[in-house]
Amino acid sequence: MGKIIAIANQKGGVGKTTTSINLAASLGVLEKKVLLIDADPQANASSGLGLDVESLEIGTYQVLEHSITAKEAIVKTESPNLEIIPAHIDLVAIEIELVDKQHREYMLKKSLEEIKDDYDYILIDCAPSLGLITLNSLVAADSVIIPIQCEYFALEGLGKLLNTIKSVQNIHNAELDIEGLLLTMFDSRLRLSNQVVDEVRKHFSSMVFDTIIRRNTRLGEAPSYGESIITYDATSKGAVNYLNLAQELLKKNS
């Protein structure tokens, strides 16, 4: 039975999509069958894995409105053992369209029921908002990974996200767990980076992943080539960090 993990933080630029792509690719390389769902209208996870998002006819939008099954939306990627349900800019419209639908928070959950057992892990790259698409992702998920960048406003907005998770647990999905907080964009030369790590570990101790994702130029370059860091430069610090994270996740779930 597959585990569904949402990667969420309503703040932009914290490394959500980078984590979604590279954790998915790392799990694939470690011989797990993985599906990545792009639930962000910016569609960066889709283009970051080499898909031409302009020419896509079907994707997360159609899956959420139930006009096609999740199975019909799946696309293979170049990355081993990794498939994707891509997004397109039209996903923006789904928030408005679902508003008056019954059980609108459960659309994604319902769609994934038929394919959940086909994968070891299903990762959902959430939009940088706490809107209806992110809510659908949290209702469908078994757990959440929260990326936090090692910068000045790191913990700002985290309380809001944790409250959202709490209300999802209370109303829609009692099983929802926090898989862990992931520290990203760490620069060991900066005192501030080290302070943020200390502060997050002090507040959230066992909830924080041991693996820290360091700032890495290669990590930033990979998406522009439509590749994960594993394919783009397997020896880079970024690749090593994400492979470590994948191993830590597997160990936690074994």
Side-chain angles (χ1 to χ4, degrees), residues 131-184:
L132 200 46
I133 308 176
T134 300
L135 188 56
N136 260 273
S137 305
L138 294 174
V139 172
D142 298 306
S143 66
V144 196
I145 290 176
I146 304 170
I148 296 175
Q149 87 278 44
C150 298
E151 283 170 9
Y152 185 62
F153 291 116
L155 297 175
E156 195 187 62
L158 186 59
K160 203 171 172 188
L161 177 60
L162 294 172
N163 284 339
T164 301
I165 291 169
K166 204 167 275 166
S167 70
V168 170
Q169 287 165 332
N170 290 337
I171 304 165
H172 307 291
N173 181 2
E175 308 296 299
L176 184 65
D177 238 348
I178 292 178
E179 192 72 46
L181 306 182
L182 175 68
L183 291 156
T184 63

Side-chain angles (χ1 to χ4, degrees), residues 2-74:
K3 182 166 195 180
I4 303 177
I5 302 175
I7 295 165
N9 189 330
Q10 78 274 26
K11 280 187 70 164
V14 298
K16 262 191 314 288
T17 302
T18 304
T19 296
S20 302
I21 293 173
N22 296 311
L23 177 57
S26 299
L27 289 165
V29 167
L30 296 171
E31 300 188 341
K32 296 294 169 194
K33 195 159 188 252
V34 187
L35 174 67
L36 176 59
I37 298 171
D38 193 346
D40 182 351
Q42 293 173 59
N44 291 339
S46 306
S47 60
L49 280 170
L51 273 67
D52 176 11
V53 290
E54 294 303 315
S55 66
L56 287 169
E57 303 278 312
I58 53 177
T60 316
Y61 174 79
Q62 288 77 12
V63 172
L64 277 166
E65 61 162 16
H66 291 183
S67 60
I68 61 167
T69 66
K71 210 168 225 155
E72 291 169 315
I74 291 167

